[in-house]
Amino acid sequence: MSKVTFFRGQQLPLEMHKVRIIQKLTLLPVEQRLEAIRAAGHNTFLLQNADVFLDMLTDSGVNAMSQEQQAAMFRADDAYAGSATYTRLYDKLVEVFGMEYFLPAHQGRAAENILGQVLVRPDTAVAMNYHFTTSKQHVVVHGAEVLELIHPDGLKVTSDHPFKGNMDTDALRAVIAERGAEGLSFVRMEAGTNLIGGQPFSLDNLTEVSQICHEHDIPLVLDASLLADNLYFMKIRDPRCVDLEIPAIVKAMADLCDIIYFSARKLGFGRGGGICIRDEAMYKRMRGFVPMFEGFLTYGGMSVREMEAITVGLDETLDFDMINQGPQFIAYMVNELDRRGVPVITPPGGLGAHVDAMRFLDHVDQRQYPAAALASAVFLASGVRGMERGTMSEARDINTGVEPLAHMELVRLALPRRVFTLSQVNYAIDRIDWLYQNRHLVGGMRWVEEPEILRFFYGRLEPIGDWTTRLVEQFRADFGDSL
Ligand SMILES: *Cc1c(COP(=O)(O)O)cnc(C)c1O
């Protein structure tokens, strides 16, 4: 089962790997961190990685590879068509998911582009447990609507529900009764729901969703990008899964779905993506879009080296010792922050720790982007780069100019898989704790430059007032000449 050590009464996660290749890091003094975040328009996406100490922006394409993955990359068969590397990846996917057809794509959103082109009909809806930024965009762009049918506990910041990623199946039935089955282009279940804290769904929930879909002939699509984390939680929390081996859990999930797509920037510790399809006719409808947008059918925009790495990475995803490190480190980080009173999403999920900026900065108006302010403040306090997941990540209505306020104001501190050590995690916890003690110093933000599309990626902000300077002064006063 789950491997943990006990150290003076505290549960510590135990790494089941050792580090044999390293990358040197720099920790800039706080004054230089202030210069860096100013130059980046107070948007952590615009920071130079060289100015970042611990990069907790994302888990996408930055997970550590194993020696087996790196070794496999050397035998990559560089052929435009019919590469043996592709065959190895294809065979592995058939073994893991049991679906006969596969279309490669350069990353997850490219798979979503193809699904959108083929499956989404205008004036219909796509029901989801919860949206992801790119998956929503590829529905909306075809004139359809996204319906989020997340279990009510999914949107509660603190909860002890073990499966906050479950879909509300009564709501799904109600939507079908109201709109008819033809009113839904497909149903999408996202493993390890990204935007609400990496929360899993249960096997029973997926089973029920699948029964409803198949009763009404609605395709069920699984977004398996964050499958590894969902599997970990199923294995330790789901009564139906505790006695199953990981490959059997994956098979049970796959058998319930018609299509499985993924970003291999997360699943498989590589860089790429693709779509597994059960039905031949569906495969043929989608196939033409691969050479049109991605590349030939045997690489789909991926390098052969990455495909080799993903093939091995998929095997590692089926190894409990390999997938438990991420969620166990995250649980440690969340529990330690929680113990210090820092508001975080509970229970701990996959992907990272999610700090609740609405409560952390309860004196900052939601229209002044508390999550964006907190992301800047965390960087100032620590050199840790997190990601705003709040109102800044929403889109202003192009016609009315109205800005929707996000359900949650979060700063996500992602833990890329197998990358950080426990002392680095402890450092981050300590600096965030300091920031929490000094939270009254942190103020709001306003736009300097607000792009119309996906503004959170490259928009620029400034602090309201001089709070960043005052925070740096307080840091110096408290930390002396330490960095
Ligand atoms: C990252 C992600 C995607 C998009 O994948 P990219 O490889 O970044 O294009 C889709 N769905 C989920 C759940 C993701 O986490």
Side-chain angles (χ1 to χ4, degrees):
M1 266 313 291
S2 162
K3 296 207 171 64
V4 286
T5 55
F6 292 89
F7 176 72
R8 283 195 268 167
Q10 218 184 357
Q11 266 204 359
L12 295 181
L14 182 59
E15 296 88 339
M16 294 306 291
H17 58 257
K18 63 178 180 180
V19 179
R20 292 176 49 241
I21 295 182
I22 59 145
Q23 177 178 355
K24 190 170 183 301
L25 296 171
T26 43
L27 176 54
L28 296 178
V30 67
E31 292 80 9
Q32 289 180 35
R33 297 202 288 269
L34 179 59
E35 278 170 38
I37 196 74
R38 277 181 180 152
H42 301 88
N43 180 344
T44 54
F45 276 103
L46 300 181
L47 284 167
Q48 296 301 313
N49 198 35
D51 294 337
V52 170
F53 179 46
L54 303 177
D55 191 7
M56 299 189 178
L57 185 74
T58 176
D59 61 333
S60 174
V62 290
N63 299 297
M65 283 195 189
S66 65
Q67 59 181 1
E68 282 71 22
Q69 287 184 287
Q70 300 237 317
M73 289 169 94
F74 276 106
R75 67 166 183 180
D77 178 23
D78 237 327
Y80 188 90
S83 157
T85 288
Y86 174 79
T87 307
R88 280 192 279 273
L89 174 59
Y90 170 81
D91 289 346
K92 182 55 66 184
L93 285 164
V94 172
E95 178 194 319
V96 172
F97 294 124
M99 292 191 180
E100 198 178 334
Y101 302 97
F102 175 64
L103 292 172
H106 78 275
Q107 64 183 90
R109 68 200 68 187
E112 288 169 343
N113 173 40
I114 297 169
L115 293 173
Q117 303 267 6
V118 172
L119 290 180
V120 178
R121 289 169 277 114
D123 303 318
T124 64
V126 175
M128 308 181 174
N129 49 349
Y130 203 71
H131 82 279
F132 181 70
T133 47
T134 56
S135 28
K136 183 172 181 175
Q137 211 68 42
H138 283 294
V139 170
V140 174
V141 80
H142 295 290
E145 170 190 12
V146 166
L147 300 175
E148 291 172 311
L149 308 181
I150 189 75
H151 183 283
D153 263 47
L155 295 181
K156 287 189 193 145
V157 176
T158 54
S159 157
D160 52 13
H161 197 291
F163 295 106
K164 285 168 82 178
N166 279 355
M167 181 176 273
D168 180 343
T169 47
D170 291 335
L172 179 60
R173 282 200 187 86
V175 163
I176 296 172
E178 190 188 315
R179 302 180 178 225
E182 59 292 342
L184 291 182
S185 282
F186 63 90
V187 171
R188 172 179 171 275
M189 283 293 277
E190 182 178 315
T193 46
N194 190 323
L195 297 190
I196 55 167
Q199 301 290 329
F201 58 70
S202 70
L203 190 53
D204 272 346
N205 186 248
L206 186 66
T207 305
E208 212 185 325
V209 170
S210 171
Q211 280 163 355
I212 298 169
C213 287
H214 295 140
E215 237 167 71
H216 295 93
D217 262 338
I218 303 168
L220 175 57
V221 176
L222 173 68
D223 179 346
S225 304
L226 302 180
L227 180 68
D229 298 335
N230 210 101
L231 285 170
Y232 168 80
F233 291 116
M234 282 172 151
K235 179 72 185 162
I236 63 163
R237 292 183 190 163
D238 192 332
R240 262 184 75 188
C241 298
V242 282
D243 295 326
L244 294 177
E245 298 296 331
I246 299 284
I249 304 175
V250 179
K251 240 353 238 346
M253 293 172 79
D255 285 349
L256 296 168
C257 303
D258 302 297
I259 291 171
I260 298 177
Y261 78 94
F262 55 92
S263 165
R265 296 178 65 83
K266 292 119 184 199
L267 183 66
F269 315 97
R271 293 153 193 95
I275 311 173
C276 302
I277 307 154
R278 188 178 304 290
D279 178 59
E280 186 182 2
M282 180 70 80
Y283 163 74
K284 287 188 169 161
R285 282 171 65 201
M286 291 185 181
R287 186 169 55 177
F289 290 93
V290 175
M292 195 167 151
F293 289 107
E294 303 300 312
F296 188 63
L297 291 176
T298 56
Y299 71 94
M302 285 185 276
S303 94
V304 281
R305 287 171 180 268
E306 295 292 342
M307 287 199 282
E308 290 285 359
I310 294 162
T311 303
V312 176
L314 284 167
D315 255 338
E316 291 173 9
T317 301
L318 304 179
D319 176 350
F320 191 69
D321 275 349
M322 283 286 121
I323 60 173
N324 67 7
Q325 196 230 317
Q328 286 185 5
F329 265 55
I330 291 160
Y332 174 82
M333 187 168 177
V334 167
N335 292 334
E336 289 299 306
L337 287 170
D338 192 36
R339 213 159 62 77
R340 289 162 173 78
V342 177
V344 278
I345 289 199
T346 59
L351 226 162
H354 295 72
V355 183
D356 178 8
M358 204 101 89
R359 273 193 297 150
F360 198 114
L361 300 178
D362 57 8
H363 56 284
V364 175
D365 191 289
Q366 204 181 353
R367 282 174 191 78
Q368 296 180 357
Y369 312 106
L374 185 58
S376 280
V378 166
F379 178 73
L380 285 174
S382 62
V384 170
R385 164 156 73 169
M387 187 192 288
E388 194 271 2
R389 292 273 87 150
T391 295
M392 186 184 169
S393 296
E394 297 284 331
R396 198 182 284 280
D397 188 307
I398 300 173
N399 300 314
T400 64
V402 173
E403 176 178 55
L405 297 176
H407 290 138
M408 294 184 183
E409 293 290 334
L410 303 177
V411 173
R412 182 180 86 185
L413 301 166
L415 291 188
R417 295 167 187 85
R418 315 190 283 203
V419 169
F420 293 126
T421 65
L422 204 59
S423 20
Q424 290 170 332
V425 172
N426 276 321
Y427 164 85
I429 292 166
D430 184 61
R431 291 297 167 97
I432 293 165
D433 183 19
W434 173 83
L435 187 61
Y436 189 61
Q437 306 306 321
N438 292 280
R439 61 189 179 279
H440 61 281
L441 291 175
V442 180
M445 311 295 289
R446 63 177 161 239
W447 290 104
V448 176
E449 195 186 314
E450 183 187 350
E452 264 188 15
I453 296 171
L454 294 172
R455 63 185 188 177
F456 63 91
F457 275 133
Y458 41 85
R460 304 177 76 85
L461 302 159
E462 65 183 7
I464 299 172
D466 63 347
W467 66 259
T468 53
T469 315
R470 279 185 288 120
L471 190 66
V472 167
E473 284 163 9
Q474 186 65 45
F475 182 96
R476 255 307 148 248
D478 290 349
F479 287 89
D481 59 3
S482 120
L483 300 172

